[in-house]
Amino acid sequence: MDWNEVVRALSAALGIGLLIGAVRERAHVDGSSVAGVRTHALLALLGAIAYGFGTAAYVAVLLAVALLAHAAYVRTRDQDPGLTGEVAMLLTVALAGLTRESPSLAAGLGVVVAVLLWAKDPLRRLSRELISEREMKDGLLLAAAALVVLPLLPDVPLDPWGVLQPAMLWRIVVLVLAVGMVGHVALRAVGARRGLPVAGFFSGFASSTAAVASYGRLARDQPRLATEAAAAALLSNLASVLLLAAVIGAVSPGFLRTAAWPLGGAAIGLLLVAATGLHRTRGDSPAAEAPQARAFRLSHAIGIALPIAAVMLAAEALRRSFGDAGALIGATVAALAELQAAGATIARLAEIGGLPHAQARWGVAGLLAASALTKLVLAFASGGARYGRITGGGLVLMVVLAAAGAWLAPA
């Protein structure tokens, strides 16, 4: 027996019991809780010790605690009909047993359990007030698309060129759905001024193209939020530029130092216009109207994924026909739909010597211009003139400063 592992497991179990018990104790400041700090600490130690004696002893302890929890529920159900306290007792014993196998995993799960126990009121408000029945159905659709359909789709390409992978294309659909859900819930939770910029930035790590379309639809549905929606769309593109830098760095760290000039210029341009838009709305930003009943539309997401597939096929055809020059053209074409994939192509060419760094640097600026062109058209089509002008202005400044960075970068 390794006593160091035993002591570590018992310490983790005691910590879990104290943490869960403290949360339960504070939830019932009137003293009505049947299991507080001491009880949960003792249950955790009991579970960890029983696990060391074998499966039979551990199961016997679990059954005994279950009987205690049942007795406690019978005694307190008139005052507190919930089962949270009783379930927490069983979880404490279960996690204590897990400490004998993986103390770090058990401790992490213990923190998760404690957070869930503490977040009773915020979770209740989220489920009862912030999320409507229609939004709940949309959330279930999103969960089914991500957790049921996506794992069943193959990663094997369907075409002879190895471009169209069903799982990859469906991931785009899922990302578009998620963007719509995040922005919708954020708007409901904290309002347009704070919710849209935050949701916009983080949605850009999934798909800035989808974000431009989604926030364009919001601007069309609620014209008074056009400025805030445009700022959110530009912040999503800022996140996309940051992600592009990470992708280039992963493929070719040496080229990233050269590409940092156009990428930095692009980021500055987007941030300037987004910040200016948000500053102009400060103090007189209109109150957000009730969002549309639907958080997203599946047809809208599929309508974005299908053109991406077509552009990827066209880019691969150009690469096979014209070699590295064709690959550069194909990457620029691909940037119309997927900036990160196109950036990885440029970085790979720079890494293997197919393109000098100076040309590859201008290639990055070209990718940003191609991506901006697609989003500019999409902004006007989805959000109308005002949204399109603000978003387009930021995208144009992004391209101009990216070109300036490529020009000023040291050789």
Side-chain angles (χ1 to χ4, degrees), residues 224-303:
R224 294 190 300 170
L225 297 179
T227 301
E228 290 88 341
L234 292 176
L235 289 175
S236 75
N237 281 273
L238 174 62
S240 183
V241 169
L242 297 178
L243 182 59
L244 175 62
V247 170
I248 291 176
V251 176
S252 176
F255 176 60
L256 177 60
R257 291 191 291 271
T258 301
W261 287 79
L263 291 174
I268 291 173
L270 292 168
L271 189 59
L272 283 175
V273 178
T276 301
L278 292 176
H279 177 74
R280 287 177 178 175
T281 62
R282 185 176 60 185
D284 58 352
S285 179
E289 302 172 13
Q292 298 299 303
R294 300 297 301 272
F296 51 72
R297 297 184 185 277
L298 182 59
S299 59
H300 171 75
I302 294 176

Side-chain angles (χ1 to χ4, degrees), residues 274-349:
T276 301
L278 292 176
H279 177 74
R280 287 177 178 175
T281 62
R282 185 176 60 185
D284 58 352
S285 179
E289 302 172 13
Q292 298 299 303
R294 300 297 301 272
F296 51 72
R297 297 184 185 277
L298 182 59
S299 59
H300 171 75
I302 294 176
I304 290 176
L306 290 179
I308 289 177
V311 169
M312 291 178 66
L313 280 174
E316 180 62 17
L318 290 172
R319 188 189 72 80
R320 289 176 176 269
S321 300
F322 303 104
D324 286 339
L328 179 58
I329 297 173
T332 304
V333 174
L336 293 168
E338 179 51 55
L339 182 61
Q340 277 69 43
T345 301
I346 296 292
R348 183 179 64 85
L349 290 174

